[in-house]
Amino acid sequence: DIQMTQTPPSLSASVGDRVTITCRASQSISTFLNWYQQKPGKAPNLLIFAASSLQSGVPSRFSGSGSGTDFTLTISSLQPEDFATYYCQHSYIIPYTFGQGTKLEIK
Amino acid sequence: QVQLVESGGGVVQPGRSLRLSCVASGFSFSNYAMHWVRQAPGKGLEWVAVISYDGSHKYYADSVEGRFTISRDNSKETLYLQMNSLRHDDTAVYYCARDRQSIAAAGIRMDYWGQGALVTVSS
């Protein structure tokens, strides 16, 4: 199975900050990488697919990049509603494993 | 609008069975692959299973292979997860999710999710 490792596990930041979360795959997955946001008690929400494509309705302050094994999710200017947990997931082969999550908290 | 509504969760003893349902509305259910994803209390997301648009192909995580069965009834626009031989570590919120694709090929992405159904395995 492909293992997905996210760093950092948690992150404290302030409104207006630029934030980057990293996801590393245990083998090359080309650009088959999705990012999800999850708020407490809610279902995940798709933000980015195919490593860098913005899902419809997602604010443009979210962006994704990377290919092969290393990927990043960037939030250009944090808003209060962005404090949540973020997960990467590869979509290369079954099983479609998720990273362990990055909890973004208010500083 | 797209809606996915899970039901069937509850408390069940180890070794027993439970069936989850996910009723879809607001889109052509029979055109999309569907997934089950679970989340143990306080933990991360775990992909569980996927079924193709017509039910002809099904795939599972190793942790549930041989115990869980994913199925669908397109006439009822409903997705199912039959869970047998339940274990304590199956305790989780189970989400159904729509795939933007019709089959489980590279590039899957889950663009709509249900609200989740809590399954607690406890004696």
Side-chain angles (χ1 to χ4, degrees), chain B residues 38 46 48-49 60-69 87 90:
Chain B
R38 69 184 180 182
E46 180 185 13
V48 173
Y60 301 91
D62 287 346
S63 58
V64 306
E65 178 84 59
R67 300 187 299 122
F68 289 13
T69 301
R87 311 186 304 218
D90 293 318

Side-chain angles (χ1 to χ4, degrees), chain A residues 1 32 34 36 38 41-46 48-50 55 87 89-101, chain B residues 35 37 39 43-47 50 59-62 95 103-116:
Chain A
D1 298 357
F32 294 110
N34 303 324
Y36 298 87
Q38 186 180 34
K42 300 294 186 181
N45 181 47
L46 178 65
I48 301 284
F49 63 93
Q55 173 69 2
Y87 294 93
Q89 178 203 28
H90 82 80
S91 59
Y92 187 57
I93 55 171
I94 290 165
Y96 304 117
T97 47
F98 290 88
Q100 78 277 23
Chain B
H35 300 260
V37 175
Q39 186 169 37
K43 303 298 184 182
L45 300 169
E46 180 185 13
W47 175 82
V50 62
Y59 303 97
Y60 301 91
D62 287 346
Y95 296 101
I103 60 173
I108 65 99
R109 61 186 190 264
M110 303 173 196
D111 60 351
Y112 287 95
W113 297 63
Q115 84 288 353

Side-chain angles (χ1 to χ4, degrees), chain B residues 73-117:
Chain B
D73 185 335
N74 285 345
S75 68
K76 295 182 179 179
E77 298 188 307
T78 302
L79 175 73
Y80 301 101
L81 185 66
Q82 177 67 43
M83 303 183 291
N84 298 332
S85 303
L86 282 161
R87 311 186 304 218
H88 288 291
D89 62 358
D90 293 318
T91 295
V93 173
Y94 285 75
Y95 296 101
C96 64
R98 189 186 83 165
D99 194 332
R100 194 62 183 90
Q101 303 181 149
S102 60
I103 60 173
I108 65 99
R109 61 186 190 264
M110 303 173 196
D111 60 351
Y112 287 95
W113 297 63
Q115 84 288 353

Side-chain angles (χ1 to χ4, degrees), chain A residues 1 9-10 12 15-17 20 26 34-35 42 47 49 52 61 66 69 82 86 88 95-96 98 101 103-105:
Chain A
D1 298 357
S10 64
S12 294
V15 172
D17 283 354
T20 297
S26 60
N34 303 324
W35 289 98
K42 300 294 186 181
L47 298 176
F49 63 93
S52 60
R61 63 181 179 272
T69 61
D82 299 337
Y86 293 84
C88 62
Y96 304 117
F98 290 88
K103 187 174 183 179
L104 180 53
E105 299 174 305

Side-chain angles (χ1 to χ4, degrees), chain A:
Chain A
D1 298 357
I2 298 173
Q3 307 304 315
M4 307 301 294
T5 303
Q6 284 182 238
T7 54
S10 64
L11 178 59
S12 294
S14 301
V15 172
D17 283 354
R18 180 184 180 89
V19 166
T20 297
I21 298 169
T22 298
C23 180
R24 174 165 287 176
S26 60
Q27 67 181 74
S28 178
I29 56 170
S30 184
T31 56
F32 294 110
L33 192 283
N34 303 324
W35 289 98
Y36 298 87
Q37 176 194 66
Q38 186 180 34
K39 297 181 180 179
K42 300 294 186 181
N45 181 47
L46 178 65
L47 298 176
I48 301 284
F49 63 93
S52 60
S53 296
L54 193 67
Q55 173 69 2
S56 176
V58 174
S60 59
R61 63 181 179 272
F62 291 92
S63 64
S65 65
S67 66
T69 61
D70 294 317
F71 302 87
T72 59
L73 172 70
T74 299
I75 310 172
S76 60
S77 179
L78 273 174
Q79 298 302 299
E81 60 268 29
D82 299 337
F83 292 94
T85 300
Y86 293 84
Y87 294 93
C88 62
Q89 178 203 28
H90 82 80
S91 59
Y92 187 57
I93 55 171
I94 290 165
Y96 304 117
T97 47
F98 290 88
Q100 78 277 23
T102 295
K103 187 174 183 179
L104 180 53
E105 299 174 305
I106 301 173
K107 184 183 288 184

